């Protein structure tokens, strides 16, 4: 895989049983790139390690006053220089390619998992952790994958050099052959402590990132209640903890670096002293001493890769563990495993939408309104109807178990391929996000093509929004469709954002559209027209609206009251106002005292009040 070929057509199914297993899976899927990098690394490092041989031959040729051998040594050095330059260039190219492709694979896996889980992801994993995994953790995982091949090349080079010195000059080669493994393994006792400190640093950094994300997300609320300084103080303390952990970790790595400098220096001194004695005794030549000395000096370069791979693994292991934890999340507890076959049903099913957990039924082609006394329950139930992973959809269970999947035409949404399930049921939550860009791009979404953008905007009552955008348009034609919407639609009011998001959902024209409080931020007059426009445009399509406004409920073909996690009543809005006190309490915001007073006064008075409510509706 080359960088120009990214993204991957299929990033694969990762092994997420643990962080090391995930790293091994990444390396195994890049075997070709790793072998290329290893080959170029061997060329580069073996060329560096062979330079002392050429230098030693040149020195001995000068001592012996042999011009032919000096020319031969010069040619060998030139050849090694070309090999070193070529190997270093291609090693860098292939290693960086491994880094980028590994990071791209991880990011694709994270993006796929995020799209699959939807908003349920941030309820199961902190938003700050998701940010940390998709940014810093991806970089550290890529670092380990990139360093792996260079470490392998360095290890093989050390073996080749030690064997070569044993053959070239056994007396000094035996010293080097014993000393180099000691140097390579000397830092092993320090690695567990360094790894623990690195893990502690990563953990504190992750918590600080989570705290920062949560603080930024709730900054407006914090300012409103005067809690900004409190949370900033908490983040300041958390950042100081990260700094202290980073200093502790850096001290350990500094000690490892010191060992990597001290021990090779001692080995070099030993070789020089012993070699000088051998040269004085006439057992070796000056050129051989220079060769061995230079080889030991250059061995410091591949030994550095042992420190680098230890550091890369120590930092990437917790990152891989966090990535594996996010990637191990499934749409539901009973989702298909990695090896389970995809069901034969690939076509989008049709029929009624049914939730076995609550007993909620939305007939095909009907406008169904759902009333829940608990707004959080309404949001969870809306997402569950769309096949998004939720827990405790049935309120009050407190079990933490995932409820059975919603059924569309008798087919469980969880048993459908993700793209099929998302195409069949579209869920718009109560706080939809508008991406920045021209309005035309906002409405350019995957759609059936049966609903024009103009019709969707008209149904969502976006006339005043278009007029405001046309006035703000920098284009001479005053075309609102070319007007750029700022990030998250911050230049628009809450009601304008809500209606544009509704128009976007209507343009999509899904088989089933689930709307969670789509008109909560608009005035009553506009709300009534929006409800009528949605019903008219969605004729013949299944629409489920979670709302408690009489103006919306009165437009519904069928109203369902969900109480304490179960369907408690079904009927038309005006009918339920007369017959169900629980429904009436939610819709009219009736207090317990008012309900008791009406019960004491009697039925006739209650009907008079109801008539007034209906007239106001």
């Amino acid at each position: 895989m080359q960088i120009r070929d990214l993204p991957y057509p299929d990033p694969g199914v990762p092994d997420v049983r643990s962080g090391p297993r995930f790293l091994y899976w990444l390396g195994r899927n890049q075997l070709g790139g790793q072998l290329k990098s290893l080959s170029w690394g061997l060329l580069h490092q073996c060329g560096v390690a062979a330079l002392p041989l050429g230098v030693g031959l040149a020195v001995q040729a000068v001592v012996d006053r042999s011009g032919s051998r000096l020319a031969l040594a010069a040619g060998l050095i030139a050849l090694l220089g070309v090999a070193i330059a070529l190997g270093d260039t291609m090693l860098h190219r292939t290693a960086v390619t491994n880094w980028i492709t590994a990071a791209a694979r991880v990011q694709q896996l994270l993006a796929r998992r995020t799209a699959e889980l939807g908003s349920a992801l941030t309820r199961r994993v902190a938003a700050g952790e998701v940010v940390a995994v998709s940014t810093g953790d991806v970089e550290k995982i890529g670092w380990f994958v990139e360093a792996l091949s260079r470490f392998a090349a360095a290890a093989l080079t050390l073996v080749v050099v030690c064997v070569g010195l044993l053959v070239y000059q056994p007396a000094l080669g035996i010293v080097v052959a014993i000393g180099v493994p000691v140097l390579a393994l000397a830092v092993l006792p320090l690695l567990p402590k360094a790894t623990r400190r690195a893990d502690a640093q990563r953990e504190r950094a992750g918590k600080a990132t989570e705290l920062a994300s949560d603080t930024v997300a709730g900054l407006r609320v914090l300012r409103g209640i005067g809690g900004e300084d409190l949370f900033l103080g908490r983040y300041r303390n958390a950042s100081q903890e990260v700094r202290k952990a980073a200093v502790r970790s850096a001290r350990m790595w500094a000690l490892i670096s010191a060992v990597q400098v001290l021990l090779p220096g001692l080995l070099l001194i030993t070789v020089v002293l012993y070699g000088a004695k051998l040269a004085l005794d006439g057992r070796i030549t000056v050129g051989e001493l220079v060769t061995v000395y230079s080889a030991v000096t250059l061995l410091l370069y591949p030994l550095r890769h042992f420190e680098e791979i230890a550091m890369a693994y120590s930092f990437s292991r917790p990152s891989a563990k966090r990535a594996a934890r996010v990637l191990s999340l499934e749409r539901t507890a009973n989702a298909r495993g990695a090896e389970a076959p995809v069901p034969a049903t690939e076509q989008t099913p049709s029929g009624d939408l049914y939730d076995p957990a609550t007993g909620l039924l939305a007939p095909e082609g009907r406008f169904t309104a759902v009333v829940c006394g608990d707004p959080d329950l309404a949001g969870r139930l809306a997402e569950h109807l769309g096949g998004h992973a939720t827990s405790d959809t049935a309120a009050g269970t407190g079990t933490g178990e995932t409820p059975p999947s919603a059924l569309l035409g008798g087919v469980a949404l969880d048993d459908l391929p993700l793209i099929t399930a998302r195409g069949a049921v579209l869920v718009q939550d109560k706080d939809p996000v508008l991406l920045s860009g021209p309005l035309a791009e906002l409405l350019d979404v995957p759609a059936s093509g049966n609903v024009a953008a103009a019709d969707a905007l008209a149904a969502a009552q976006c006339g005043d929004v278009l007029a405001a955008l046309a006035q703000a348009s920098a284009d001479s034609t005053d075309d609102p469709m070319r007007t750029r919407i700022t990030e998250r639609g911050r230049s628009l009011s809450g009601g304008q954002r809500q209606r544009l998001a509704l128009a976007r959902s209507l343009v999509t024209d899904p088989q089933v559209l689930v709307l969670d409080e789509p008109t909560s931020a608009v005035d009553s007059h506009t709300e009534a027209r929006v409800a009528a426009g949605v019903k008219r445009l969605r004729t013949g399509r299944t629409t489920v609206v979670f709302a408690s406004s009489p103006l919306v409920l009165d437009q519904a073909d069928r109203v369902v009251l969900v109480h304490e996690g179960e369907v408690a009543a079904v009927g038309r809005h005006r009918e339920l106002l007369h017959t169900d006190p629980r429904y009436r309490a939610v819709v009219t915001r009736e207090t317990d005292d008012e309900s008791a007073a009406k019960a004491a006064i009697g039925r006739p008075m209650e009907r008079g009040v109801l008539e007034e409510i209906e007239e106001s509706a």
Side-chain angles (χ1 to χ4, degrees):
M1 172 63 70
Q2 299 296 319
I3 296 176
R4 63 176 177 269
D5 299 325
L6 294 174
Y8 288 94
D10 180 11
V13 179
D15 186 347
V16 294
R17 288 176 289 178
S18 66
R21 287 179 180 270
F22 180 62
L23 290 175
Y24 172 74
W25 177 85
L26 276 177
R28 188 183 64 192
N29 278 270
Q30 288 192 317
L31 190 58
Q34 293 290 342
L35 290 177
K36 287 181 181 179
S37 186
L38 174 61
S39 301
W40 291 116
L42 283 174
L43 178 63
H44 168 62
Q45 297 194 32
C46 287
V48 172
L51 273 178
L53 178 61
V55 174
L57 292 175
V59 170
Q60 191 61 42
V62 172
V63 172
D64 296 340
R65 298 181 179 277
S66 173
S68 59
R69 282 189 293 164
L70 181 61
L72 180 63
L76 177 60
I77 293 174
L79 182 62
L80 291 174
V82 173
I84 292 171
L86 178 61
D88 191 22
T89 301
M90 297 306 298
L91 171 62
H92 178 75
R93 178 184 179 89
T94 54
V96 171
T97 299
N98 289 337
W99 184 333
I100 294 176
T101 52
R105 187 186 296 273
V106 177
Q107 287 182 328
Q108 279 188 248
L109 291 170
L110 290 170
R112 185 173 68 180
R113 186 64 65 199
T114 301
E116 182 176 341
L117 293 175
S119 60
L121 175 63
T122 53
R123 287 201 301 271
R124 301 168 69 178
V125 179
E129 183 171 354
V130 177
V131 173
V133 170
S134 59
T135 53
D137 287 338
V138 168
E139 180 180 353
K140 288 178 174 58
I141 292 171
W143 175 27
F144 174 75
V145 173
E146 179 260 348
L148 189 59
S149 57
R150 289 190 286 110
F151 162 73
L156 290 176
T157 300
L158 288 178
V159 173
V160 171
V161 171
C162 289
V163 172
L165 288 178
L166 281 173
V167 174
Y168 179 73
Q169 179 44 251
L172 287 177
I174 189 67
V175 176
V176 177
I178 294 174
V180 167
V182 174
L183 297 181
L185 302 177
V187 297
L188 286 182
L190 302 176
L191 286 180
K193 192 171 184 178
T195 301
R196 288 195 298 271
R197 291 190 179 185
D199 290 349
Q201 177 191 353
R202 294 295 304 160
E203 181 180 358
R204 286 176 171 80
K207 290 181 178 179
T209 303
E210 294 174 15
L211 181 59
S213 299
D214 294 341
T215 302
V216 171
L219 193 58
R220 182 177 299 179
V221 177
L222 292 176
R223 286 173 176 170
I225 63 176
E228 183 180 3
D229 292 337
L230 174 63
F231 274 79
L232 289 178
R234 290 182 180 178
Y235 178 73
R236 189 177 295 109
N237 293 335
S239 64
Q240 289 301 312
E241 291 295 326
V242 175
R243 181 188 63 80
K244 293 176 182 178
V247 170
R248 284 172 53 83
S249 179
R251 285 174 179 169
M252 183 55 62
W253 288 111
L255 177 59
I256 292 175
S257 297
V259 171
Q260 291 279 348
V261 172
L262 176 63
L263 294 184
L266 294 177
L267 175 63
L268 190 61
I269 293 173
T270 302
V271 168
V272 170
L273 291 178
Y274 184 52
K277 183 177 181 302
L278 293 176
L280 290 175
D281 294 342
R283 297 170 58 184
I284 64 173
T285 64
V286 175
E288 289 175 336
L289 176 59
V290 172
T291 299
V292 175
Y293 169 79
S294 302
V296 174
T297 303
L298 293 177
L299 281 179
L300 299 180
Y301 175 68
L303 279 173
R304 283 291 179 182
H305 291 292
F306 282 75
E307 177 189 352
E308 182 191 12
I309 195 63
M311 183 179 293
Y313 180 73
S314 298
F315 279 92
S316 65
R317 187 174 62 85
S319 296
K321 181 180 178 181
R322 288 151 63 104
R325 183 166 63 248
V326 174
L327 294 174
S328 65
L329 299 176
E330 298 287 348
R331 289 170 60 188
T332 58
N334 59 345
R336 296 190 304 270
E339 303 299 328
V342 178
T345 303
E346 297 288 344
Q347 295 182 346
T348 304
S350 61
D352 300 339
L353 181 64
Y354 177 68
D355 176 30
T358 59
L360 172 61
L361 175 67
E364 181 181 12
R366 304 283 295 280
F367 188 157
T368 302
V370 182
V371 177
C372 295
D374 182 2
D376 293 333
L377 170 61
R380 293 195 301 270
L381 181 54
E383 291 175 354
H384 184 62
L385 288 176
H388 297 268
T390 57
S391 296
D392 284 336
T393 300
T397 61
T399 62
E401 298 179 354
T402 302
S405 170
L407 307 176
L408 180 60
V411 179
L413 291 177
D414 290 341
D415 291 337
L416 293 174
L418 181 61
I419 188 172
T420 304
R422 292 291 181 267
V425 183
L426 174 65
V427 179
Q428 176 182 304
D429 61 26
K430 63 184 64 179
D431 187 23
V433 176
L434 299 183
L435 301 179
S436 61
L439 177 58
E441 291 185 4
L442 177 69
L443 300 179
D444 185 17
V445 293
S448 65
N450 297 326
V451 178
D455 296 334
L457 291 168
Q461 302 300 311
C462 295
D464 61 316
V465 184
L466 295 178
L469 291 176
Q471 187 175 4
S473 175
D475 194 281
S476 58
T477 60
D478 296 333
D479 184 2
M481 301 301 290
R482 298 185 181 180
T483 303
R484 185 174 183 83
I485 297 175
T486 57
E487 180 187 4
R488 300 181 69 90
R490 299 187 188 280
S491 60
L492 305 172
S493 67
Q496 290 174 329
R497 289 196 299 269
Q498 203 170 53
R499 282 177 284 161
L500 284 180
L502 177 59
R504 178 179 59 189
S505 299
L506 293 174
V507 166
T508 303
D509 189 34
Q511 182 176 329
V512 179
L513 177 61
V514 181
L515 304 172
D516 185 11
E517 295 289 352
T519 57
S520 59
V522 301
D523 59 82
S524 299
H525 181 64
T526 305
E527 185 178 34
R529 292 189 297 166
V530 169
V534 171
K535 181 179 181 180
R536 181 176 61 255
L537 191 64
R538 294 283 301 171
T539 299
R541 291 291 212 179
T542 305
T543 306
V544 182
V545 179
F546 286 80
S548 58
S549 169
L551 298 171
V552 177
L553 299 173
D554 198 42
Q555 293 287 339
D557 301 322
R558 192 170 185 266
V559 179
V560 179
L561 172 65
V562 177
H563 181 69
E564 295 184 352
E566 295 181 352
V567 172
V570 179
R572 296 294 295 259
H573 166 60
R574 296 174 185 267
E575 173 189 345
L576 293 176
L577 275 177
H578 287 289
T579 59
D580 197 299
R582 292 169 299 185
Y583 177 84
R584 184 168 58 251
V586 175
V587 173
T588 65
R589 279 60 168 182
E590 186 179 82
T591 64
D592 294 338
D593 293 338
E594 291 172 339
S595 179
K598 288 181 180 180
I601 294 173
R603 198 69 181 168
M605 181 64 180
E606 184 180 276
R607 287 182 177 176
V609 175
L610 290 177
E611 291 174 358
E612 293 180 4
I613 293 174
E614 292 174 0
E615 290 177 1
S616 65

